[in-house]
Amino acid sequence: MTTDDKASGATAEAGRDFIRDIVKADLDAGRVKEVVTRFPPEPNGYLHIGHAKSICLNFCIAQEFGGHCNLRFDDTNPAKEEQEYMDAIERDVRWLGFDWGKHLYHASDYFERLYGWAEDLIRAGRAYVDDQSQDEIRSNRGTLTEPGKNSPFRERGVEENLDLFRRMRAGEFPNGARVLRAKIDMASGNINLRDPVLYRILHAPHPRTGTTWKIYPSYDFAHGQSDAIEGITHSVCTLEFEDHRPLYDWFIANLNVPSKPRQYEFARLNLTYTVLSKRVLTTLVRDGYVTGWDDPRMPTIAGLRRRGVPAEAIRDFIKRIGVVKANSLVDVGMFEFSVREALNKTALRRMAVLKPLKVTIENYPEGQSEELDAVNHPDDPAAGARKIKFGRELYIEQDDFMENPPKKFFRLSPGSEVRLRYAYFVTCRDVVKNAKGEVTELRCAYDPATKGGNAPDGRKVKATMHWVSAADSIAAEVRLYNPLFSKLGPTGGEGFTADLNPNSLEVLTGARLEPALADAKPEVPVQFERNGYFCVDPASAPGKPAFNRTIGLRDTFAKDVAKDAAKDQALP
Ligand code: ATP
Ligand code: MG
């Protein structure tokens, strides 16, 4: 929650979704005194917008019902985990507007206790050391229709099991030589209960525990018990863990844990044109399909931030989509709606020409210029105004001129008159071309009586165009982003790179911006009038800013796709 939300007094919103209903009922019935939730990322990648759903849910529920939410790193697999990811995760959760206070934990803090519980299970005859290879374990696990086969090591005595497990811990055996398994039921209809692996041998240093441990607990063995240690009341996770719940409950029932947490599942976020799998995102970064985890095309929190998406827009989107129990695919257009809503309110208006075409105002005196008033935000007088310079040489957008316009084209064409925003009416008198026949310059005339944009004789124009002064504008690079995947529902499966959009990035090197944009700050998007919302990139070279397009003014991508499809069909 932001401080604003806190100040306004967040209210418990029971009735909003089934999880909040459960929490409310538990509090009302006195089953729970203080609500404690947790967000449990595995530090093996950066957070993405799917994680934001889980973060908002866990932190907001704690906030709304007067409890607290822990940030717990699920750091049980040192082979894939890195400090860089932990730092990025903390930064991103904070940036999203949430605060775990003193409640920062690591599953690795509990390794000793988890180990003790594993010995307890052995002593109770509920766990055994299995010498089968990984392949044997897999092939003896059975299938959805066939029961599994008991391991030949399943009936080992307690003393032998304890001895072997302690020697596993001491590092006597190589990786994969043995595992510790729970002794539950190899014929269970739920495969997760067919003697799941609790510990595996892994001779790998851990970012926090160093070389202390040669064995590491499985996710299933670590997760519920970590919840119990932290006094989590509602352990909220995504649907794929529904089938793990009986195992979660089995551990809680069979171990002497300090509290009895319960797990609840909700549908993970899936977005059109987007893959939210860390495995795929890691591949994109590692194989150079993007420039890094914070590439503005990535669905990561870091990428969205660099692109200019405000945290408020992400929170608003998550609130709009709600929390349900059935998986679905959310239209990325809904997310973009939230981004436009947030930016429309806050982004200052500026003028920038992305693909410049030179305009010379022939009847404007050479060497002269004047300052005009331009408002910073049409709906917010408090945002004030700025001065912009008008002179004899200007740039307009190439697309705003057509030599042979179709009927409904109201912008500039030979002989036509348009309004230049905040300035004057201008008429195109002449078109200058280069040897290749390309238009390189327009020779225009302005009407001095139309200063400010209205004609005293009441005559009307049908177009108002943005522009910048040639002498005062600054040069910039502008990066236009399109969806990273061109397929509506990319699965991220084998060969997923074929679904990548070859046009996800378009770089414009010759853009011209009004001088006020020299002061633009990263993470503070502005609206380039008629062009969209843009944000200066934090890695811009000094004196040569690069701007990222956060988002266009309207949803054109879906329309373009439809148009392309229609065009393809129309081809002979
Ligand atoms: P991946 O499946 O891509 O590897 P993960 O779920 O393993 O991601 P974790 O770091 O374990 O990544 O996720 C932390 C929490 O975020 C988990 O509770 C998980 O359920 C939740 N989460 C991950 N992806 C989504 C999503 N798309 N929508 C909602 N919650 C998600
Ligand atoms: Mg996970």
Side-chain angles (χ1 to χ4, degrees), residues 38-347:
R38 87 285 173 263
F39 173 64
E42 202 182 329
N44 60 354
Y46 278 52
L47 298 178
H48 54 60
I49 188 161
H51 292 117
K53 181 175 179 184
S54 177
I55 294 168
C56 289
L57 185 61
N58 280 297
F59 278 93
C60 289
I61 284 180
Q63 170 87 25
E64 291 161 20
F65 292 95
H68 70 263
C69 179
N70 300 350
L71 175 61
R72 182 203 313 146
F73 286 106
D74 221 322
D75 55 348
T76 52
N77 183 3
K80 286 194 188 160
E81 293 160 5
E82 288 174 28
Q83 188 61 42
E84 178 201 344
Y85 297 140
M86 297 208 193
D87 296 342
I89 288 168
E90 288 191 35
R91 186 162 63 234
D92 291 348
V93 174
R94 252 192 219 107
W95 179 79
L96 274 173
F98 300 103
D99 184 3
W100 52 89
K102 58 181 193 242
H103 302 288
L104 174 65
Y105 305 110
H106 299 80
S108 57
D109 297 339
Y110 313 137
F111 279 172
E112 195 60 53
R113 290 172 87 179
L114 290 167
Y115 177 86
W117 280 321
E119 285 207 352
D120 288 348
L121 284 180
I122 293 174
R123 275 189 285 269
R126 292 204 163 98
Y128 62 97
V129 172
D130 193 348
D131 301 355
Q132 292 183 103
S133 69
Q134 245 183 27
D135 285 346
E136 286 168 324
I137 291 179
R138 198 176 305 122
S139 65
N140 289 336
R141 193 177 288 137
T143 63
L144 285 174
T145 50
E146 276 171 51
K149 287 197 207 80
N150 282 356
S151 164
F153 304 96
R154 199 171 194 262
E155 300 308 327
R156 264 182 172 144
V158 168
E159 286 315 313
E160 187 185 356
N161 277 322
L162 273 180
D163 173 62
L164 284 171
F165 187 46
R166 286 172 186 165
R167 287 163 61 195
M168 281 167 63
R169 173 182 183 158
E172 277 189 37
F173 311 117
N175 289 354
R178 302 191 148 82
V179 292
L180 183 75
R181 297 177 76 176
K183 194 171 179 178
I184 308 181
D185 179 5
M186 287 304 289
S188 172
N190 184 334
I191 292 183
N192 294 301
L193 295 180
R194 294 184 189 170
D195 293 7
V197 171
L198 309 184
Y199 271 88
R200 58 213 182 298
I201 300 171
L202 188 61
H203 292 264
H206 186 281
R208 291 175 59 83
T209 58
T211 54
T212 307
W213 292 89
K214 320 293 180 198
I215 55 173
Y216 290 94
S218 62
Y219 169 87
D220 282 322
F221 191 63
H223 202 86
Q225 284 76 280
S226 301
D227 285 344
I229 291 171
E230 293 174 16
I232 302 298
T233 54
H234 300 82
S235 181
V236 182
C237 63
T238 37
L239 273 182
E240 64 272 24
F241 293 104
E242 195 170 23
D243 291 345
H244 295 240
R245 184 167 12 108
L247 180 56
Y248 184 102
D249 293 342
W250 189 89
F251 289 130
I252 298 300
N254 284 286
L255 295 170
N256 186 22
V257 288
S259 78
K260 306 254 178 242
R262 290 195 51 187
Q263 174 183 302
Y264 302 92
E265 306 88 18
F266 69 99
R268 67 193 291 119
L269 172 66
N270 300 302
L271 272 182
T272 55
Y273 301 106
T274 311
V275 175
L276 296 179
S277 142
K278 265 194 278 191
R279 184 183 50 78
V280 169
L281 299 182
T282 305
T283 307
L284 293 177
V285 172
R286 192 196 52 215
D287 295 349
Y289 290 100
V290 294
T291 58
W293 283 99
D294 67 347
D295 185 304
R297 290 167 294 178
M298 290 280 273
T300 51
I301 305 301
L304 295 170
R305 173 170 62 231
R306 180 165 172 191
R307 183 162 170 162
V309 171
E312 181 203 343
I314 298 176
R315 294 196 303 264
D316 177 68
F317 166 66
I318 300 297
K319 190 164 179 184
R320 278 173 201 275
I321 57 174
V323 180
V324 294
K325 228 186 144 92
N327 277 318
S328 67
L329 184 61
V330 175
D331 184 350
V332 73
M334 277 187 71
F335 174 54
E336 296 181 348
F337 175 84
S338 291
V339 177
R340 287 192 188 96
E341 279 267 301
L343 294 182
N344 183 40
K345 270 186 275 171
T346 55

Side-chain angles (χ1 to χ4, degrees), residues 337-362:
F337 175 84
S338 291
V339 177
R340 287 192 188 96
E341 279 267 301
L343 294 182
N344 183 40
K345 270 186 275 171
T346 55
L348 297 183
R349 274 42 170 182
R350 296 288 182 256
M351 292 210 283
V353 174
L354 303 187
K355 296 177 185 167
L357 173 61
K358 188 175 169 192
V359 168
T360 302
I361 311 287
E362 292 185 308

